[in-house]
Structure formats: structure tokens, C-alpha cells
Amino acid sequence: MTVVTRFAPSPTGYLHIGGARTALFNWLFAKHHGGKYLLRIEDTDRARSTQPAIEAILDGLSWLGLDWDGEVVYQFERAARHAEAKQMLAEGKAYHCYASPQELDEMRAAQKKAGLPMRYDGRWRDRRPADAPSGVAPVIRLRAPQSGKTVIQDAVQGEVTVENAQLDDMILLRADGTPTYMLAVVVDDQDMGVTHVIRGDDHLNNAFRQLQIIKAMGWPEPIYAHIPLIHGPDGAKLSKRHGALGVDAYRDMGFLPAALRNYLLRLGWGHGDDEIIPTEQAIEWFDLPAVGRAASRFDLVKLTNLNAHYLRETPDAALLPMVLPRIEASIGGPVDAIGLERIERGMAGVKQRARTVVELADNLVFYAKSGAPQIADDKARAQLTPDARMLLGKLASALEGENDWNEPAMEGAIRRFAEQQGVKLGEVAQPLRVALSGSTASPGIFEVLSVLGPAETRQRLLAASG
């Protein structure tokens, strides 16, 4: 059997973090078993489905590297196929229900008053269409079993059971002929050859109803795997205050797709004590038995720390196109050839201290443009005292005789200068750092000197000393 999974988001909003994890688990499972991972856009809710949301989902999945097999399936386009469920009428597996909306409202109100579950009571289950009132367009309902149990052998949750008496005869086709979500999902999964339905456990109750349709149609049952939801650090349902943002927001915040994949993988799945799990290793290891039953907790701090690791491991050349647009936006124009060369030379040192692409870009800005850097804040400005400015002016002259501008040579030159001036190294290094980078936090000052070179260093020192 070829494993076929699917990710089936509704385009009513962004691709949120929980949806991204569901897509990842489907993608990994299919890859692990050498199968197919399909994408279906469930856009039957025409009032809420939007093209921008569809584009955001496709873009988010592509950015995460979760490319799907084949063409995207759009559920709305398959309405005619869903309507073929009318064949169940002839087989006695479904029936017309002529109950009016008012009649159904009265039924529910009576059930509520009596303290009963509000379910359709089957009033048209065994009646003839000849008894139908005039002017009421019927819906088509499933003739669901009224006794026994519906049992699901869930690959994550284990065996889960519901008494059929707790389920009613659900609507398959509305009065206008359009399919309900329950029917459309089942038909699409069947036609797409889906073998494993991996989704959030908030869909578990839907699975019982969908399985009844599958059995009525005589189709093979998929293997269900309902994964626990993601909660916030406080254990509450994940919300925007916890980080329940669109995937595009994490990209804008400077997270790398490989880091986000790794982090989402560890939300509800584990392999011993392993935390850093590259994608190829994840494909080799991932399987459903290792998915836990308890809700996982989203922690932005852990994600940020993991992202820092992936930044350090990413080649400089791959990071450059990520940071360059951010740097150019910061300086208000394109980076010239000299600035680009300095950024490339300084990347290795700066990325050791950055946690996100945003931080990386911010910390590289002072390399991008020639001339005195913008002073970051009052803390940095306080380093440029009159005495410190005088020292920087002397340092500009002292460095004129230096021929070697590598890091060891610069360290030796600055230490000698401090000794000659009778001051501690820090009394020179901190003002020097602010003069060259505009901040009290930068890569190693000797590394900065080496990257900037003699001409740019002198220009910045003279500007600070004046």
C-alpha cells in the first residue's frame, strides 16, 4: 500500500502555527514511508474563504519547505462530484427530510427544555415524500445506524468509541444541493486515495460521523491519527498572546524555516532526548507511535534559542539574501559594493551572537554604509565623554602606522596604545566600539577593526573625536 496523506486547510485566515505542525506531520509521515503528501483547500465556505488566505497558505507551506505532490485540490470545484451522494437514496442509505427550519428550531427548543441532547430526532426517517408539505425543499440525510457503536482504532489516541445512539442522521446535501463539510471531506479523501488522515484532535468527533458515511458508501476506511492541540506556556488554549500567529509572521520576525520545522516537530513528537533534529533525520525517524497524547506547549523563548543554533549553522552565503533587504530598508537605499564586501566579511562573526535574521540584519547595518554610524542609544552616547573623544583622536593617529589589519594585529595595536596612554584596555575598547559600530554591543572589537579596514576606521574615529 502506498501511503497517501493530505493537509486540508480552510482558507478563512492565515496558516497558523497549529496548521503548520499538522502539515509537517503529514509531510514527514509520507516522506518516511515513501508515499505522497497532498494538499486540498477546503473552500466550500464561500462567504469566509478568500484568495489572499489561499495565497498565504500556499506561500507559508512553500516557505516552510513542505512542498506537496501533484496539483492543489480545491474542494469547491468538486461540488458536482459531492452531489453524487444522491445515489445513497436509491440504496436506502439516505433519505429526504422535509422538516422546515421553524420545525427544527421548535424541536431543539423542546429538547433543550427537557434537558435532552439537541439532535435531529429522525422524524422523516421513515416517512414518504408524498407526506411532504408544499413549499419545503428537502435536505438529504444519512440513514445512520441507531444501535451499536462506531469504533475508531486511532494511531495516536488508541481505540475510541461512541454509541451510535448519540449520533443523529446528519445532513449530506443541503436543500440547495450543496454538500456539507462532512460529506465533502469523505468524498475527497476517497477520490484522492488518502490512506492516513492525520489532523488535530479537535476533529475526533467529526471522525465518527465521517466513518459512518464511509461505511454506508462501502469505501475503505482510512487510518486516523488525531494529534493533540498546541497550548500556550500557561497551559491555556493557544492564542495570539502566546504566539498563535500566521507562519508569515514568524518569517517576518526572522525565524528560519529549518528552525521552525525542528521546533514544530518537537511539539508533540519525540525521539529520546534529541532536540536538534535536521530535516533529513526527522524523515528517517518520524512515525506515528512517537506522537504523544498530551497537549504540547508553545514556548517562543525555546523557538528563539533553537533558531540561534540554526543561524550559526547556516552558510553565510545563504543568509546574505535574507538580511540584505532588511539592511537596505534600514539605511534607506541600496548597499554599495564596499558595504556589501564588509557585510560578507563580518557575517561570520555577527551571526554567532544573533538569534534571528532580524537581529542579524540589525547588527550588520553599521558595516553597510560608510561614515560615522548612528549612535544607538543614551548608553552608547555616554561612552563618548570628552576624555574618551580625546583618546579616540590619538588612536586615529596611532593606527596610521599599522600595516597589518587582521584581528591579532589589531589586538596588539590597541593593547599597546592603552599601555602608552596609561589606561585600562576597556577605557579604550568601549568608546572605540561605539565610535565604530554606534552601539555598546557588537562583534569583537578587533574583528570590527579588521573588517572595516584602515580608511573607514580612521574616518569613524575622527568623526567621533570631533
Side-chain angles (χ1 to χ4, degrees), residues 93 100 111 116 130 133 138 144 149 173 205 235 238 249 292-293:
K93 296 173 181 176
S100 67
Q111 291 171 335
L116 299 173
K149 301 176 180 180
L173 291 170
N205 286 335
L238 190 64
R293 296 186 185 183

Side-chain angles (χ1 to χ4, degrees), residues 391-408:
L391 274 177
L392 293 176
K394 293 179 179 180
L395 180 59
S397 299
L399 290 176
E400 284 190 32
E402 296 295 328
N403 295 318
D404 294 329
W405 276 75
N406 55 48
E407 290 183 46

Side-chain angles (χ1 to χ4, degrees), residues 16-22 25 200-202 227-233 235-239 242-244 263-268 294-299:
H16 60 79
I17 205 71
R21 186 191 62 167
T22 298
F25 281 18
D201 63 9
D202 53 333
I227 56 180
L229 302 182
I230 303 173
H231 288 175
K237 183 179 178 180
L238 190 64
S239 63
H242 295 121
Y263 183 71
L264 291 177
L265 172 66
R266 292 290 291 112
L267 284 180
S296 50
R297 298 195 177 193
F298 186 86
D299 188 330

Side-chain angles (χ1 to χ4, degrees), residues 319-331 333 335 361:
L319 292 172
L320 186 61
M322 299 183 200
V323 299
L324 203 55
R326 298 176 187 273
I327 292 173
E328 290 179 335
S330 179
I331 66 174
V335 176

